[in-house]
Amino acid sequence: MNRTPLLFLNVFLIATCGLVYELLAGTLASYVLGDSVTQFSIIIGLYLSAMGVGAWLSRFVEKGLARTFVEVELGVALLGGASAPLLFLSFAQLSYFHVVLYGVVFAIGVLVGLELPLLMRIAQDELDFKELVARVLTFDYIGALVASLMFPLFFVPHLGLVRTSLVIGMVNAAVGLWGTWLFRPLIHGPVLGMRIRGALVLLLLSVGIFKANALTRYAEETMFNSPIIFTETTPYQRIVVTRAKGGYQLHLNGHQQFNSLDEYRYHEALVHPAIAASGGQPKNVLVLGGGDGLALREILKYDSVQAVTLVDIDPAMTSLSQRFAPLGELNKHAYADPRVRVVNQDAFIWMESAQEVYDTIIIDFPDPSTFGLGKLYTTRFYRLLKRRMAPHAALSIQSTSPLLARQAFWCIVRTLEASGFAVKPYHATVPSFGGVWGFALARHEEFETPTRLPKGLALQFLNETVMPALFALPEDLGPVPVEVNRLNNQALVRYHDMDWKRHE
């Protein structure tokens, strides 16, 4: 029997599964720990070094190569397949989660690192060395490419992290079980025990897939300390809605975006100062982010509004209020208003080709915790915005907490200034966000602090006494020395990570 094609199919599957485990660990770590830049870097480095350890250990396997390969494959299937549910539950229950996380990643890396050297040694009698190395590395890299494409496009949005882990574990188990037939002439002694273990691993992982929703819900409810009432995994993020103390909270990738009890404070402070600074009669408004529709609700309170363009990368967010009725009630069914146009595209890419001019721009992006988000706070992006602003236009941007993330807050302010804007930083008290939250108001030229509001807006927080007080910064929120955030340095992401780590 010519085993060569099947051997290289094994190489392809091993590479695909191995990279998926690595991506799973990095994604889950950044999801539960928040610091995506650091976590991904540590996970990748640890996993690759562990593979090196596994490759080195393979030199000590001198006999029973085929049997060892099958046993290692079943070990990868069990540990890798269970890794996501194990890590979710560990984070919810254990104070030493980092130890479990890095231990699991290292162990999977060692086992994956053992596999390819064993396969190469099994195949060395059928191919010369040059051909063997060329083919193994080719199929290894192709498998990695397939995994890197399928992970964000198929696995996470359609299966979720937990089911992806279990399904990939089943692939490894199937490869191991298959190996008991493929390598039978090379396996000395009985194989029934290995086949039974392979079948048991497949059965165990299948039960896990059946119970995946219950496992995920249990872990997330423990993590959020609140009952979960809605969940959805999209190609871009994990959406979770929890209920507690008479209200509900929206979380994206584990980070709270609003609490229905006090979100009006945040959204009134975000929207109305910008409209007041642009003349109080907005006609053509741009909203970047804000897929929950709550900033839209505030904008549509102005009768002068003729058109609102909302750009949010995730269509699942801009349509969430259709699937989760309480959000539709909270945003006053803003998306049903015919004046609203939704664009589901990356805001950075969209801004480079945008042609319209706007008299008010509202920026409601998540905090800059990743490089992907950090690019939306750079001088390059702000200069793109400047080109799309009418001479009298104003923009406002949520700017994280000036108390808890002071460097990040002032980095956003200084970056706006370096982009040619006149800027007025301000703040509002939002209890569910830990107290003080920051914003920045900007125009082309120097401008007066807005103090007046149109009558009849039905606001719950702002009035003409509160409005000017937003711009009075106490000493502990005052300026600190910071770098300007540019595409080539992403200083803001670094500040954000350092600031929030101090308060964990």
Side-chain angles (χ1 to χ4, degrees), residues 415-430:
T415 303
L416 282 165
E417 291 174 340
S419 305
F421 286 103
V423 185
K424 291 186 183 296
Y426 65 105
H427 69 291
T429 301
V430 185

Side-chain angles (χ1 to χ4, degrees), residues 223-432:
M223 183 168 65
F224 294 123
N225 295 316
S226 300
I228 292 174
I229 56 178
F230 180 91
T231 61
E232 185 174 356
T233 301
T234 81
Y236 304 100
Q237 57 205 341
R238 172 75 171 169
I239 301 171
V240 176
V241 182
T242 60
R243 181 180 296 282
K245 298 179 181 178
Y248 62 88
Q249 303 79 38
L250 173 71
H251 307 266
L252 300 180
N253 290 342
H255 304 291
Q256 181 175 295
Q257 302 303 301
F258 71 79
N259 185 315
S260 63
L261 291 178
D262 61 7
E263 57 78 20
Y264 64 88
R265 283 177 160 258
Y266 171 93
H267 290 100
E268 288 184 13
L270 175 67
V271 170
H272 298 290
I275 291 178
S278 64
Q281 294 293 315
K283 292 181 174 60
N284 194 16
V285 182
L286 175 64
V287 182
L288 301 177
D292 50 42
L294 298 174
L296 272 181
R297 177 197 64 201
E298 297 301 316
I299 294 165
L300 294 173
K301 290 178 179 178
Y302 292 83
D303 293 335
S304 61
V305 171
Q306 297 173 1
V308 185
T309 301
L310 184 140
V311 182
D312 191 297
I313 193 171
D314 194 348
M317 269 306 303
T318 55
S319 62
L320 180 59
S321 54
Q322 298 173 20
R323 301 185 304 285
F324 182 66
L327 179 58
E329 296 171 8
L330 192 63
N331 66 27
K332 305 297 183 186
H333 304 286
Y335 283 108
D337 193 299
R339 294 172 290 176
V340 175
R341 177 172 73 102
V342 175
V343 178
N344 292 126
Q345 194 175 340
D346 183 292
F348 198 103
I349 296 172
W350 183 82
M351 282 301 304
E352 291 191 323
S353 60
Q355 299 298 319
E356 286 191 70
V357 173
Y358 302 91
D359 51 48
T360 307
I361 297 179
I362 307 298
I363 304 177
D364 192 14
F365 294 134
D367 266 17
S369 58
T370 69
F371 291 139
L373 290 167
K375 72 181 182 183
L376 301 172
Y377 293 81
T378 58
T379 51
R380 170 63 180 162
F381 187 71
Y382 292 154
R383 285 169 182 151
L384 291 174
L385 285 172
K386 207 167 188 290
R387 297 192 323 209
R388 305 271 62 86
M389 292 173 62
H392 66 284
L395 71 80
S396 63
I397 176 171
Q398 86 83 10
S399 306
T400 197
S401 171
L403 181 63
L404 303 179
R406 194 170 174 183
Q407 292 181 104
F409 174 78
W410 283 102
C411 180
I412 294 171
V413 173
R414 298 302 182 224
T415 303
L416 282 165
E417 291 174 340
S419 305
F421 286 103
V423 185
K424 291 186 183 296
Y426 65 105
H427 69 291
T429 301
V430 185
S432 65

